[in-house]
Amino acid sequence: MRNLTVLFTNFKRALGNCPDIKIIDEKSQFDPPSESRKKSGLAELRDEGFDIDAWLGSVITLSKGNSITYHVIRNRQNKGEGSFNLNNPQEFLIEPEPWVAKLATNEMDRERLKKVRIIDQPSVNQTFTGLIVDGQSPPKIPSELVYFRRGKLLPMKLSFFDYYETLAEFMGILNWQLLFTDVDPAHPDLKSDFLQLSASLEDFKEIFPSRDFGVWEKMLLERQLV
């Protein structure tokens, strides 16, 4: 895993310095005592019986209060938005969130949502990335992710381990997670989100010409959206 603090610092600084990006709200958790936060977080999870992977320390350091909401403004028009709000593993892995199941639109999703813990919640109503926690004993760090958008629970083809690096690749653009699901880009409820992702790529390539958006472009190509 690459240095997440460096990845997030770099792209958030680039967004903040760009005249085409209007930052609505931003918080960071990069300041000391990050090392002590990491150690205490890992110790708390071990005390709860979790079999800890070393990479989780980087996520603890990065999370809780690390967020951004921004709009892309070009020619005085809102051309898209980005948003994320990272939650802390030592909280969502330990504490259940029973209210999440109330968002389900069918019984199958309701049962699955009972196992979901939110890891990233942008400032958009009923939209989040969640981790499936099955309650194993002894507990292990889970890896299965889902994306909840417009009342739809969508399994993601991306692991918990890879989530944070991938978020950085997309600079937190809203709904990038859809590109890692099997949902049809022509779905009437989500078509506009996919079209916005395609339009935002073109804007970002112009706004940040020195930045590599290869992952973004690859995922759109796989969906035949570019």
Side-chain angles (χ1 to χ4, degrees):
M1 176 174 275
R2 290 181 288 173
N3 188 313
L4 293 178
T5 298
V6 172
L7 286 178
F8 275 69
T9 300
N10 286 347
F11 86 76
K12 290 176 78 174
R13 182 182 295 122
L15 289 168
N17 291 337
C18 177
D20 292 315
I21 302 292
K22 178 177 176 58
I23 303 294
I24 308 301
D25 184 62
E26 179 183 3
K27 296 178 182 176
S28 295
Q29 275 288 1
F30 302 138
D31 298 329
S34 59
E35 191 64 27
S36 64
R37 286 185 66 243
K38 178 174 71 174
K39 289 180 179 178
S40 64
L42 290 174
E44 186 174 343
L45 288 170
R46 287 193 187 96
D47 289 344
E48 291 291 329
F50 280 91
D51 185 9
I52 297 301
D53 294 315
W55 59 267
L56 198 62
S58 298
V59 177
I60 289 172
T61 303
L62 186 76
S63 303
K64 191 177 182 179
N66 187 359
S67 64
I68 197 168
T69 299
Y70 65 84
H71 289 173
V72 182
I73 308 295
R74 307 193 75 190
N75 300 318
R76 299 184 179 180
Q77 294 183 326
N78 189 334
K79 304 283 284 183
E81 58 188 303
S83 181
F84 66 86
N85 182 22
L86 302 180
N87 294 325
N88 195 328
Q90 68 198 84
E91 294 176 359
F92 63 70
L93 285 172
I94 295 174
E95 295 294 330
E97 298 174 297
W99 66 269
V100 177
K102 297 179 181 179
L103 301 176
T105 57
N106 59 70
E107 189 58 34
M108 183 180 297
D109 283 356
R110 185 172 294 106
E111 289 304 310
R112 195 155 173 79
L113 281 168
K114 288 179 180 179
K115 303 177 181 180
V116 168
R117 312 289 173 82
I118 296 175
I119 72 170
D120 180 12
Q121 190 167 21
S123 60
V124 178
N125 190 36
Q126 295 190 14
T127 298
F128 60 80
T129 303
L131 187 66
I132 302 292
V133 179
D134 274 323
Q136 302 177 65
S137 183
K140 295 183 180 295
I141 302 301
S143 63
E144 184 180 358
L145 294 177
V146 293
Y147 189 56
F148 191 82
R149 173 70 172 159
R150 300 185 188 274
K152 291 169 178 54
L153 184 63
L154 307 169
M156 293 184 67
K157 296 179 288 186
L158 191 69
S159 71
F160 181 29
F161 178 88
D162 294 322
Y163 184 82
Y164 301 89
E165 287 188 9
T166 310
L167 189 159
E169 293 282 355
F170 287 85
M171 300 182 79
I173 197 72
L174 189 63
N175 294 318
W176 65 268
Q177 296 91 337
L178 289 173
L179 295 174
F180 293 86
T181 72
D182 286 329
V183 68
D184 185 350
H187 192 292
D189 292 338
L190 300 169
K191 181 178 180 180
S192 62
D193 293 332
F194 280 102
L195 292 176
Q196 183 61 64
L197 285 168
S198 182
S200 293
L201 172 63
E202 296 308 312
D203 282 324
F204 272 55
K205 287 167 70 175
E206 292 181 10
I207 294 171
F208 304 103
S210 62
R211 188 175 177 89
D212 181 8
F213 293 107
V215 175
W216 193 338
E217 189 164 28
K218 173 179 177 290
M219 299 308 295
L220 288 174
L221 282 169
E222 288 182 4
R223 298 303 191 91
Q224 299 182 332
L225 291 170
V226 292

